[in-house]
Amino acid sequence: DAKTTQPNSMESNEEEPVHLPCNHSTISGTDYIHWYRQLPSQGPEYVIHGLTSNVNNRMASLAIAEDRKSSTLILHRATLRDAAVYYCIRKTGGFKTIFGAGTRLFVKA
Amino acid sequence: NAGVTQTPKFQVLKTGQSMTLQCAQDMNHNSMYWYRQDPGMGLRLIYYSASEGTTDKGEVPNGYNVSRLNKREFSLRLESAAPSQTSVYFCASSEVGGLLYDEQFFGPGTRLTVL
């Protein structure tokens, strides 16, 4: 089972950091963690992925726990445009990527 | 680059009608996918094409057929639409699907209503 567990929703204030948690307690050694987000009325877009160590890109940072059973997507300064559904995905290989319900992020001005 | 494009953007069908959703990508990607998204839910994979000339079933293939017309285009056909197929349909592509670090690029979606 390649499921992950995320909170249904989170709220943040604009210009503050946001930490979006994800639990993937049954992860195996070669599984990657991917994050996508879906803005309202749009298709999902890739955010970041990682295997073991923390990763940074222009959009976000990904912090992966040492035991790899959980990870956190970090948006350093939330903006109103970051309001979206964020999907944490455990990539186990093959072509079937499983999207759960994700976390809906609300950003307050 | 337009990325992944889908047509039409919206469609209303009556039960039993047929239609084809079109998808094209201009990124020279090998793999393409069709997903559906029902209200408040995540995406579910309908069919995918690992490379030109191949197609395979995903999680929810019943009631659908696909054609990988060439490397750029991947169409989804509903032969006899049912109200349960009311959903938003997303096409996606990736450079080399199946890799653990593979990134998918999504189109804007087609909103389909079946009455």
Side-chain angles (χ1 to χ4, degrees), chain B residues 10-21 63-65 76-86 89 112-115:
Chain B
F10 301 92
Q11 184 70 48
V12 178
L13 292 178
K14 293 181 180 177
T15 298
Q17 288 185 318
S18 62
M19 79 161 295
T20 299
L21 281 65
Y64 306 94
N65 285 303
L76 178 72
R77 183 161 178 83
L78 287 69
E79 290 291 351
S80 179
S84 60
Q85 295 178 305
T86 294
Y89 291 84
L112 175 67
T113 300
V114 183
L115 303 175

Side-chain angles (χ1 to χ4, degrees), chain B residues 6 19-23 31-36 44-70 73-80 85 89-92:
Chain B
Q6 294 183 234
M19 79 161 295
T20 299
L21 281 65
Q22 307 286 354
C23 173
S31 302
M32 297 186 73
Y33 314 79
W34 276 105
Y35 292 88
R36 62 176 286 174
R44 291 184 292 170
L45 183 65
I46 304 171
Y47 271 93
Y48 66 92
S49 171
S51 60
E52 186 179 355
T54 70
T55 60
D56 282 287
K57 295 178 181 179
E59 188 183 352
V60 289
N62 291 346
Y64 306 94
N65 285 303
V66 291
S67 295
R68 183 74 183 266
L69 304 169
N70 48 54
E73 298 172 287
F74 188 38
S75 63
L76 178 72
R77 183 161 178 83
L78 287 69
E79 290 291 351
S80 179
Q85 295 178 305
Y89 291 84
F90 290 101
C91 177

Side-chain angles (χ1 to χ4, degrees), chain A residues 15-34:
Chain A
E15 298 195 4
E16 290 186 356
V18 181
H19 290 232
L20 297 163
C22 180
N23 181 286
H24 29 81
S25 58
T26 59
I27 197 168
S28 68
T30 57
D31 296 348
Y32 274 68
I33 296 300
H34 289 239

